[in-house]
Amino acid sequence: MTILDERRSALPRPATAEDTPPPAGPPAEPAAEEPRTHGTLTDELATLRRQAVDGPSERATEAQHRKGKLTARERIELLLDKGSFNEVEQLRRHRATGFGLEGKRPPTDGVVTGWGTVHGRTVFVYAHDFRIFGGALGEAHAQKIHKIMDMALKAGAPLVSLSDGAGARIQEGVTALAGYGGIFQRNVAASGVIPQISVILGPCAGGAAYSPALTDFVFMVKGTSQMFITGPDVVQAVTGEEVTHDELGGAEAHGSRSGVAAFVHDTEEEALEDVRYLLSLLPSNNRELAPELTSTDPADRANDALERIVPVDGNRSYDVHDVIEEIVDDGDVFEVHAGWATNIVCAFARLDGQVVGIVANQPSRMAGALDINASEKAARFVSFCDAFSIPLVTLLDVPGFLPGVDQEHAGIIRHGAKLLYAYCNATVPRIQLIMRKAYGGAYIVMESLSIGSDLSFAWPTNEIAVMGAEGAAGVVFRREIAASDDPERTRGERIAEYRRELMHPYYAAERGLVDDVIDPRETRATLVHGLRMLRTKHKPLPDRKHGNQPI
C-alpha cells in the first residue's frame, strides 16, 4: 500500500445503506397544514399591525414617557386631525446583517411615515420612533423618509418631521450616511415649493441636524430637544470646554443665541398645537394662496390707541408688538423667532382676513437699529413670504445700522445685503409704513419705494433723512459751530434748522418718496385698502437660472 492509499483509507467513508439503522417503526406522517382562509390571513395581518403600532415593548414606552417625551404615534395623533392618519410602509423592515442586526428586525424600522389632515387640509409627516434603535437612521428607515418626502412634493402638501433620533445607524455604515444625503437633496428640491416644518423632540445630532436647518421653520421643546453637530464629549476633547447637552444645543440656546429654532415651547403638546396653528396660516404649496377667513374685525376700525402707544418724541421707546396687535385682525399675531434678534419683529397675522407677513423695527431693543442677526432674521422671513405669495407689511422706526467694530468685522455689509436682496427680489404685494425715524441705508433697506415697495405711507411723526438732525448738523455745520462764540447755542440753532428744512414730515411726500402721510388712527383702513388693491399684483421675474445671493 502506498502512502497515498494509506491517506485515502484514513478519510471518513461515505455512509451506505448498510450503515443506516433500520427504522424503529412506520414513518411518521407530516403534520397536516391548517387550511389557509381569508380569516386566518387577516388575523395574521392584524397581529403584525398590532405589533407595529404597539412598538417593541411596554418597557420601552415607559422609558420614553419617563423622559417627558411622547411616542412617535402619540405625537402624530396630536398633530393631525383625529382619525385622519394614513400610514405608509408600516411593515417595512431593514435587511442589514452583522453586529446582531439580523436578529433584530422590528416593523417600521424606527420611523412612522404617512399623511393626514390638519384643519381639513392634507399634511405629510414622518416621526422617528426612539424606542426602536434609538430612532437611528438606516437604509430602510431613510428610504421610508425619501418616499414620504417625494409624495408630499407630488401632492403639493406641507411636510412635517418629528425628530427624535440618535443620528446615523452606525452598524449600517456608509449606507446610513447616504440616506441623509437623499433627505438633504429632497429638502432643497421642496424649498419654496411646499412648507417644510421640523419639530425637534429629542436628540438631533451630527448630519441629522442639517435637514432641519434646510427646512422653513424649526420648533424645539425646553429640556428635551437638543441639536448640535458635535456633542459635549467631542467639544471637550477638542477644545477643553465643558458644556452640557442643553447648554450646547438646547431649545433656549437655539431660540435666543443661534437663531436655529424659530419657536421654543415648554411642552410637546404646546409645540404641536402651534405647528397646527402655523399650518393654518400657510398655503399648501407655492401655487396656492394662504387660507383666507371672513374677518369680523371691521376693515375701517379706527386705531385711536396708536396715538397713546407711540410717543411723538423719537427718543422715547415703545413696544412695537402693541402697534401690530392694534392694527391686525382681532389683535392675533403669531411671531417667528420671538427670542432671537429681538430688535426686529417678524410675524404672521391677518388683515381683512388675509394672511400677511409683518416686519417691524423694535424701538424697545437697541432702539430698533439693524444688526447682523436682525438682518438675517428679516431676510429669511421676507424670502419665505415671497416664496409662498404672502403679502408683506413693513413698519419702520429705525435709526440706522448698528455701528461698531465687531459688527463691521463680522460682516454687517454682507449680512445687511441679505435683507436688501430679499426685499428687492420679492414680487408679492409690499407696503411700507414709516412711523417715526427712517435714517440712512436702513431706511432704503427696509422696503422703501426705491427698492420696489408698491405703496409707502408715513405718519406725521416720520423723520426720513440721511441721519438724525444732531449728527447731520455736526457734519454740515462743523466749522461754523467750532468757530462760534457760543458753540452750544449755534449747534442747537443749526439742528433746528436742519430739522425744519429737511426733516419735516412732508418733505418726502413732496418729492414722491412716500405715497401719502396718514393719520395714525387710519392705519388699519389704509393698509387693508392697499392690500385689496394689490391682491391681483403680478410681477414677472427676469429670465435667469437664479441670482447670486449674498449668503
Side-chain angles (χ1 to χ4, degrees), residues 286 329 366 408 438 452:
N286 64 341
D329 292 358
M366 296 164 50
E408 294 292 348

Side-chain angles (χ1 to χ4, degrees), residues 474-506:
V475 173
V476 176
F477 305 109
R478 181 179 65 253
R479 292 182 180 177
E480 180 183 348
I481 293 171
S484 172
D485 294 335
D486 189 345
E488 285 304 314
R489 181 179 59 80
T490 303
R491 176 181 174 82
E493 292 173 350
R494 294 298 173 258
I495 289 173
E497 178 185 355
Y498 185 87
R499 183 175 284 116
R500 183 173 59 252
E501 294 294 326
L502 296 178
M503 294 182 66
H504 65 79
Y506 307 105

Side-chain angles (χ1 to χ4, degrees), residues 158-175:
L159 174 71
V160 179
S161 64
L162 306 178
S163 299
D164 185 7
R169 196 173 298 170
I170 299 172
Q171 300 95 320
E172 295 195 32
V174 71
T175 308

